[in-house]
Amino acid sequence: MEKLVSLFYEKYAATATDSVRSFIDTIDWDNRFIGIKGSRGVGKTTLVLQHIKLNYQPDKRVLYISLDHLYFLENNLYDLVTDFYKKGGEFIAIDEVHKYKNWAVELKNIYDDMPNLKLVFTSSSLLHIHQAKADLSRRAVVYEMPGLSFREFLQFETKAPLNSYSVEQIIENHVAIAIDIHQKVKPLHYFADYLHHGYYPFYLENKKSFHQKLSEILLTVLEVDIPQYAVISPSNVILLKKLMAIISSSVPFKPNMNSISERSGISLNTMKNYLNLLNDAQLLNLLYTEDKGINSLGKPEKIYVHNASLMYNLVSTPNEGSIRETFFFNQVNQNNTVFASKQVDFTVNNLYSFEVGGKTKKQTQLKNIPNSYIVKDTIEIGNDNNIPLWLFGFLY
């Protein structure tokens, strides 16, 4: 255990707190049992260590451990936490829980048996968190951490204080909001960089190697996370990769299931399952019509790569229109309900209609549609029902 404590102190010393994501304030840290899930690379470990450094001295009251450490090949998690608790431990952060067999059961037992201990756990495998819900229900409060919004990316790049807004606030007051932001930063100066590499905060480590690292994350999800969760044989992992390649080369993808099945060699039923797995792993974003709903077992209306940075990783020169829609869907879908529409690109919260395009996009498709708006790329400030695309990166 001494080795784990030493490793924690080293991480504590190396953790910077000058740039902290506002997501940290959405978590009620007074809860005794907290889970933080999110795709690989969104910054869960950094966030937890920042919370520790901002609230605790490095002493016997607090500990951070990662379950991918070799220590846990021969040692029991429950016993380690029991020892920590008996020696005065008050707060423990347990990272990469999906790396440990029966982690959900042991965490539940720790929670039940150690009433004065606060426990935070994280997992980079969203699929394994879904699987463990039954064991954690009624105990853990689980938060889902997204990648960086465009607003957060701007704050990292410029240190400017920038507020977030709701969809309703943007619609009602987008001109004044855009003017206020423009007086602090020049959003369009940074927007292309955000689309290319800004969704995952590890871009700050080394922009040159960003996409190499993102490729490694993508392969880990396809070759390790999904097969472990869904018990997919190594031979079928190739089919998963093939399906991902077919979709990413032509997003937004309007799926013809029979055609995809023929091109990929995947049966129809298996393909529907694979699409849902890729969606749950946050590699894809599936867009449904309102009558089918997000829990539909039928085919989605459109399929998007999950975020623009991932799309640039998969496609060397992605289509501009696809990038625009991918950005809009990714940012708006975080805290809103987004559906496909026959008349426009997206409907949001069952109330607003949005057509996404370049700065010359016309109003033709919005005729006779109430609460409809044109979302335009490459404009700094909009007018009337023309709203800048970049502004939808200020929703969280």
Side-chain angles (χ1 to χ4, degrees):
M1 182 174 175
E2 289 78 10
K3 176 62 175 177
L4 295 179
V5 172
S6 295
L7 286 173
F8 161 53
Y9 289 162
E10 289 174 11
K11 287 183 177 292
Y12 184 99
T15 297
T17 57
D18 53 334
S19 296
V20 181
R21 292 188 61 183
S22 55
F23 183 79
I24 201 169
D25 297 322
T26 68
I27 298 173
D28 183 356
W29 297 97
D30 290 332
N31 285 312
R32 196 162 69 81
F33 194 13
I34 296 170
I36 303 175
K37 63 180 182 177
S39 61
R40 292 178 180 274
V42 297
K44 301 178 297 299
T45 299
T46 299
L47 190 89
V48 169
L49 287 168
Q50 286 176 329
H51 169 74
I52 291 173
K53 192 162 187 177
L54 290 169
N55 293 276
Y56 294 90
Q57 294 298 316
D59 55 33
K60 66 179 182 179
R61 296 178 305 141
V62 62
L63 180 64
Y64 162 92
I65 57 174
S66 179
L67 296 189
D68 62 357
H69 194 276
L70 293 174
Y71 174 91
F72 294 102
L73 293 177
E74 298 180 353
N75 293 277
N76 180 274
L77 173 64
Y78 182 90
D79 292 343
L80 179 142
V81 179
T82 299
D83 186 40
F84 167 70
Y85 184 62
K86 287 179 178 179
K87 292 178 179 178
E90 299 175 3
F91 181 99
I92 187 166
I94 304 176
D95 208 357
E96 300 290 358
V97 292
H98 62 281
K99 297 285 188 177
Y100 184 87
K101 188 177 180 180
N102 298 323
W103 63 269
V105 174
E106 289 202 33
L107 290 189
K108 178 177 71 69
N109 290 336
I110 290 168
Y111 172 82
D112 291 341
D113 297 345
M114 305 173 203
N116 295 317
L117 179 70
K118 286 186 178 181
L119 189 158
V120 175
F121 68 91
T122 78
S123 176
S124 294
S125 177
L126 294 163
L127 298 163
H128 286 81
I129 289 287
H130 295 327
Q131 197 174 48
K133 276 186 176 179
D135 288 324
L136 301 177
S137 62
R138 302 187 309 277
R139 289 176 175 84
V141 180
V142 180
Y143 297 86
E144 183 165 338
M145 185 174 181
L148 294 177
S149 67
F150 180 48
R151 180 189 71 87
E152 292 177 299
F153 176 80
L154 281 174
Q155 288 194 146
F156 278 1
E157 291 293 296
T158 69
K159 308 302 181 184
L162 300 167
N163 297 323
S164 59
Y165 302 91
S166 67
V167 168
E168 291 75 16
Q169 287 173 319
I170 288 176
I171 285 172
E172 293 172 6
N173 205 24
H174 65 87
V175 174
I177 292 172
I179 290 173
D180 180 65
I181 294 169
H182 197 264
Q183 290 173 344
K184 300 173 183 175
V185 296
K186 301 296 183 285
L188 290 184
H189 179 73
Y190 298 91
F191 193 49
D193 285 344
Y194 171 78
L195 295 174
H196 185 265
H197 58 253
Y199 187 74
Y200 300 94
F202 63 80
Y203 85 88
L204 290 164
E205 298 170 9
N206 189 331
K207 294 178 183 178
K208 291 182 179 179
S209 62
F210 170 82
H211 279 287
Q212 179 182 343
K213 186 171 182 178
L214 184 53
S215 294
E216 293 169 358
I217 288 173
L218 176 62
L219 285 177
T220 300
V221 175
L222 291 173
E223 295 178 351
V224 180
D225 292 347
I226 293 178
Q228 282 183 350
Y229 169 79
V231 195
I232 296 173
S233 66
S235 60
N236 284 350
V237 171
I238 297 173
L239 298 180
L240 262 180
K241 293 179 180 178
K242 193 171 183 180
L243 178 60
M244 193 72 192
I246 290 170
I247 291 171
S248 61
S249 64
S250 52
V251 291
F253 192 82
K254 295 187 177 182
N256 180 319
M257 292 302 196
N258 289 317
S259 175
I260 304 174
S261 178
E262 291 175 4
R263 290 176 62 188
S264 64
I266 305 171
S267 69
L268 284 173
N269 287 336
T270 300
M271 185 172 56
K272 291 176 183 178
N273 181 43
Y274 282 4
L275 286 175
N276 286 322
L277 287 170
L278 292 168
N279 180 75
D280 290 342
Q282 293 191 352
L283 297 183
L284 297 180
N285 251 347
L286 306 184
L287 182 66
Y288 293 92
T289 55
E290 186 176 351
D291 58 327
K292 291 181 180 177
I294 57 176
N295 295 318
S296 172
L297 296 176
K299 76 178 183 71
E301 189 68 20
K302 291 182 182 179
I303 302 174
Y304 292 85
V305 172
H306 184 265
N307 60 78
S309 297
L310 186 57
M311 190 171 174
Y312 271 105
N313 184 267
L314 291 164
V315 184
S316 56
T317 309
N319 176 271
E320 286 186 6
S322 298
I323 284 289
R324 292 168 187 146
E325 291 186 32
T326 298
F327 167 80
F328 181 89
F329 187 20
N330 169 267
Q331 298 284 281
V332 178
N333 196 45
Q334 178 60 32
N335 293 316
N336 300 276
T337 303
V338 184
F339 288 116
S341 167
K342 292 181 179 179
Q343 292 90 5
V344 294
D345 290 323
F346 304 97
T347 61
V348 176
N349 298 337
N350 302 313
L351 181 60
Y352 307 110
S353 297
F354 295 98
E355 183 69 17
V356 181
K359 63 181 179 181
T360 60
K361 188 76 175 179
K362 305 299 182 184
Q363 301 276 336
T364 310
Q365 288 175 262
L366 304 188
K367 188 176 181 181
N368 299 322
I369 301 177
N371 299 315
S372 58
Y373 304 87
I374 296 288
V375 180
K376 293 187 175 184
D377 194 9
T378 68
I379 65 168
E380 292 184 328
I381 300 169
N383 60 79
D384 298 327
N385 69 334
N386 297 287
I387 306 176
L389 175 63
W390 63 263
L391 193 50
F392 288 92
F394 278 67
L395 293 172
Y396 70 89

